[in-house]
Amino acid sequence: EPNFHVFFNEEIDVTGEQARATSMSTFVTPGPAGAPGMVILARYEDEFVRQDGAWKFQRRVVKSQLPPPRARPK
């Protein structure tokens, strides 16, 4: 700790009662000597639906863009 889940490059397309969105995300944690380090990079592909005036997730797909580092052999 501390760690942060950061979203960026959001794009949203609304058509009536439905919407599609894409965004990028990274998970940042302290690295060596406390410097921030990116652990993973992912792309989110979301679909939403408006029900009773509120937007709700209908579907979410997460695609890894940069997988977490593999453990090094000892």
Side-chain angles (χ1 to χ4, degrees):
E1 290 187 23
N3 55 56
F4 302 93
H5 194 178
V6 182
F7 289 87
F8 54 97
N9 289 9
E10 297 98 346
E11 293 183 24
I12 303 170
D13 181 26
V14 179
T15 305
E17 302 292 307
Q18 298 182 334
R20 290 178 175 255
T22 61
S23 60
M24 297 295 292
S25 170
T26 186
F27 191 68
V28 180
T29 62
M38 183 171 50
V39 176
I40 192 168
L41 180 67
R43 175 183 173 93
Y44 286 76
E45 297 178 358
D46 299 321
E47 295 178 10
F48 304 92
V49 64
R50 187 166 33 198
Q51 296 176 340
D52 300 322
W55 287 101
K56 304 196 178 199
F57 280 93
Q58 188 172 39
R59 182 172 186 252
R60 168 167 269 184
V61 176
V62 181
K63 297 181 178 180
S64 177
Q65 304 294 299
L66 176 69
R70 295 180 183 198
R72 294 184 181 167
K74 294 181 180 182

